[in-house]
Amino acid sequence: MPAKALPVPTPETAPFWDGTKRHELRMQRCNDCAQFFFYPRPYCRHCFSANTEWRTLSGRGTLHTYVINHRPPPGWEEDAPYVIAIVELAEGPRLMTNIVGITDPTPDKLPIDAPVEVVWADVSDEITLPHFRLV
Amino acid sequence: MTLKYSVAIIGAQETDAVGFLPDMSVPHLHAQAARNAIQDAGIRRDDIDGVFTAGISPALLAEYLGIVPRHLDGTSVGGCSFMILVRHAAAAIKAGLCDVALITHGESGRSRVGATRPATDPQSPMGQFEAPYGPFGPSTMFTMGVARHMAKYGTTSEQLAAVAVSTRQWAMKNPRAMMRDPITIEDVLNSRMICWPMHLLDCCLVTDGGAALIVVSAERARSMGLDHPPVYLLGAGEAVEQQMISQMVDFTSSAGYRKAGEEAFRMAEVTHRDIQHVMFYDAFTHTPIYSLEDLGFVKKGEGGPWMAEMHGAPGGDLPMNTNGGGLSYTHTGMYGMFAIQESVRQLRGEAGERQVPGVEVGLVHGPGGMFSAAATLILTNQPGD
Ligand SMILES: [Zn+2]
């Protein structure tokens, strides 16, 4: 079976992937406008400031929106149907992820804005992905 | 200074056929469409001094056509690129950078002849922050906000399905359309689930085809003695919000749609009530709903009910996607060019059985990528002052 796509970190994103490997959800927060942003980049998404710092987040959030994919790409046959979602973290930023731990996912099992928490998927020696589950 | 009434579309044609064209490569599709549009405009190849295309390089287009243009534009941001290129052609002509603009589209979306599908670079933002979660093309990504639109506004699967039904009713009047059998809301809801909330019949076709436009100054168009009315540019807008769907700020509304629409209406100096025909790029059944709402034809949340009431269907008060759309006519990948072609056809009175009677002002709107770029054109057959 073909392998699933894995990320290759770049210098700007390495602190995020170093964090996930330690099972810590780390993102950048802007010291000028006091907002988190994601994905990692040198300048704040909101105000373009360079005055940013890495912080560890709670790993709690809500199910912002999602799809349930029934037509898997190569490598995902065993997973279908599976949930690709946007989670909004308690601290504000959003990220794409998978919602795991639901057998045969259907919309009634996945209310919009339902609370979720991070779970860690150690998918290779180098890479750990942040997944989420309903709480 | 304005681009309103600066230019007119004097040539607009598609490839001889659209749909399944396994014997034509991508550049062949561009070139055949260009030949047909050149003939339609009554010009010669050597009159063309500006080339505009997306998906391939304008250098390949010029080489294939055997011309040395003095202006080129390769803005390639997905399906709305061709609406953007009409706007860019107007600016270039107005500024004297070229006089006769050729805009081409050609895509072997179904047969993949001479086409490449680039893999996502695992170091790119998309490769790092979307690809690891199992996306599989637009059906899994473009549709990401629909669940939230449903939760926030009460939009239903039946309302989404009504878009496919309305569009199919138009396709049944178009002999060139790929899908011409009647369908019902139940047929859409009972078709195979591709990626909830999208069933197979909520998704666009995948086809081969091409189309091209010839654009000149409005003044030149009026003096050419064409056997069909020039189609004048009233308004045009373009915008881009983000590249990756996960970066969208509001999943129930496209910032690019709103900005492009506002820009086009401001330039055209018309109101929504002046628009008599709309072409809303339908990659999936939700994109016309977002178009209707984000361009201000209805309030947010009223798009679904509007579709269910069949306002855009044959006999409705705002005919929408009269060629049969990306859902039932053709969808090569970057469908926007076909939306422009149908708008021009309607404004020329050449739409046959599906002709909207007395149409004077039409609007074309759509996305590039997945709610990434956006563009709007407002066109008219009225010659102005
Ligand atoms: Zn900031």
Side-chain angles (χ1 to χ4, degrees):
Chain A
M1 191 188 281
K4 294 178 178 176
L6 286 184
V8 175
T10 47
E12 301 80 8
T13 67
F16 174 79
W17 294 114
D18 291 345
T20 62
K21 204 170 161 181
R22 297 194 306 271
H23 294 190
E24 276 177 31
L25 190 61
R26 303 182 73 216
M27 291 187 182
Q28 288 160 291
R29 182 178 177 277
C30 174
N31 288 323
D32 283 346
C33 73
Q35 297 179 80
F36 279 90
F37 60 94
F38 189 74
Y39 53 90
R41 63 196 90 174
Y43 311 115
C44 171
R45 173 184 177 168
H46 307 290
C47 74
F48 210 49
S49 165
N51 182 12
T52 69
E53 68 177 29
W54 287 89
R55 296 251 186 117
T56 300
L57 285 79
S58 63
R60 289 190 299 273
T62 53
L63 178 58
H64 192 70
T65 193
Y66 64 94
V67 295
I68 305 171
N69 190 24
H70 290 254
R71 194 183 59 121
W76 286 78
E77 293 86 349
E78 312 258 303
D79 300 274
Y82 58 91
V83 182
I84 311 174
I86 302 293
V87 160
E88 183 170 291
L89 295 161
E91 294 84 356
R94 296 187 198 135
L95 78 167
M96 185 172 284
T97 185
N98 294 123
I99 304 297
V100 296
I102 300 172
T103 345
D104 193 19
T106 49
D108 55 299
K109 297 176 186 170
L110 291 153
I112 292 289
D113 291 331
V116 294
E117 68 181 9
V118 72
V119 289
W120 298 105
D122 299 315
V123 292
S124 75
D125 289 345
E126 291 79 31
I127 294 295
T128 295
L129 297 173
H131 287 167
F132 284 78
R133 70 176 170 212
L134 298 174
V135 289
Chain B
M1 182 159 138
T2 176
L3 293 176
K4 182 180 177 181
Y5 274 118
S6 58
V7 296
I9 296 167
I10 58 162
Q13 287 296 318
E14 301 178 358
T15 43
D16 297 347
V18 292
F20 181 51
L21 306 169
D23 299 325
M24 293 178 76
S25 68
V26 169
H28 183 178
L29 293 164
H30 281 258
Q32 190 186 77
R35 277 173 66 94
N36 291 348
I38 287 166
Q39 189 177 25
D40 182 46
I43 61 162
R44 296 170 306 123
R45 177 200 66 169
D46 293 349
D47 295 331
I48 295 165
D49 61 353
V51 294
F52 299 71
T53 195
I56 64 166
S57 165
L60 173 57
L61 179 62
E63 174 181 281
Y64 219 78
L65 264 50
I67 58 173
V68 182
R70 65 190 177 103
H71 186 73
L72 57 96
D73 190 325
T75 303
S76 190
V77 288
C80 70
S81 300
F82 310 98
M83 283 93 96
I84 291 177
L85 292 173
V86 168
R87 189 173 190 250
H88 292 190
I93 290 167
K94 177 110 179 171
L97 304 179
C98 64
D99 295 313
V100 181
L102 167 70
I103 307 173
T104 65
H105 164 68
E107 210 166 351
S108 184
R110 186 183 184 98
S111 305
R112 317 284 320 158
V113 184
T116 54
R117 191 184 285 280
T120 302
D121 177 352
Q123 285 196 323
S124 67
M126 201 176 281
Q128 292 190 59
F129 301 108
E130 289 190 346
Y133 305 106
F136 195 30
S139 63
T140 57
M141 293 284 103
F142 207 159
T143 55
M144 187 56 74
V146 181
R148 193 162 185 90
H149 199 283
M150 294 168 106
K152 186 170 179 183
Y153 296 116
T155 306
T156 64
S157 291
E158 287 76 9
Q159 292 166 354
L160 290 159
V163 176
V165 171
S166 152
T167 309
R168 180 64 61 89
Q169 288 176 4
W170 285 115
M172 289 164 64
K173 298 173 182 290
N174 183 355
R176 278 167 65 91
M178 178 174 270
M179 307 300 277
R180 303 191 64 207
D181 294 331
I183 55 170
T184 64
I185 304 250
E186 289 67 37
D187 291 334
V188 180
L189 299 181
N190 291 331
S191 65
R192 187 160 56 93
M193 187 63 80
I194 298 297
C195 183
W196 183 87
M198 294 297 157
H199 311 78
L200 180 66
L201 293 179
D202 287 300
C203 304
C204 67
L205 306 169
V206 181
T207 65
D208 308 322
L213 299 167
I214 304 286
V215 180
V216 299
S217 74
E219 192 183 4
R220 183 169 176 152
R222 286 187 197 101
S223 68
M224 282 180 75
L226 293 163
D227 58 8
H228 51 72
V231 171
Y232 300 93
L233 182 68
L234 274 187
E238 69 188 66
V240 67
E241 180 182 356
Q242 80 291 319
Q243 184 177 35
M244 292 157 65
I245 193 85
S246 59
Q247 296 287 299
M248 208 167 170
V249 171
D250 178 352
F251 280 87
T252 66
S253 174
S254 161
Y257 272 30
R258 297 194 306 269
K259 184 164 285 189
E262 275 168 25
E263 189 84 9
F265 273 103
R266 187 183 314 120
M267 175 177 146
E269 300 172 295
V270 298
T271 68
H272 294 80
R273 303 172 77 103
D274 297 316
I275 308 292
Q276 297 154 303
H277 170 248
V278 291
M279 293 300 297
F280 289 152
Y281 192 134
D282 52 341
F284 297 91
T285 48
H286 69 299
T287 56
I289 293 177
Y290 279 61
S291 298
L292 195 70
E293 295 178 352
D294 289 343
L295 268 60
F297 284 91
V298 298
K299 294 196 188 80
K300 284 307 289 184
E302 292 178 357
W306 191 93
M307 295 298 172
E309 288 157 15
M310 303 301 253
H311 290 284
D317 52 320
L318 185 59
M320 174 187 85
N321 297 351
T322 49
N323 59 351
L327 292 168
S328 289
Y329 174 55
T330 207
H331 191 288
T332 51
M334 294 194 290
Y335 163 80
M337 175 59 103
F338 296 99
I340 305 171
Q341 296 284 333
E342 176 69 4
S343 186
V344 171
R345 232 180 260 125
Q346 288 284 352
L347 289 164
R348 285 186 185 178
E350 294 174 351
E353 203 192 324
R354 59 187 193 281
Q355 180 66 46
V356 177
V359 59
E360 295 182 355
V361 182
L363 178 143
V364 188
H365 174 82
M370 298 182 272
F371 288 132
S372 170
T376 311
L377 296 178
I378 300 176
L379 304 172
T380 184
N381 52 19
Q382 299 300 296
D385 308 325

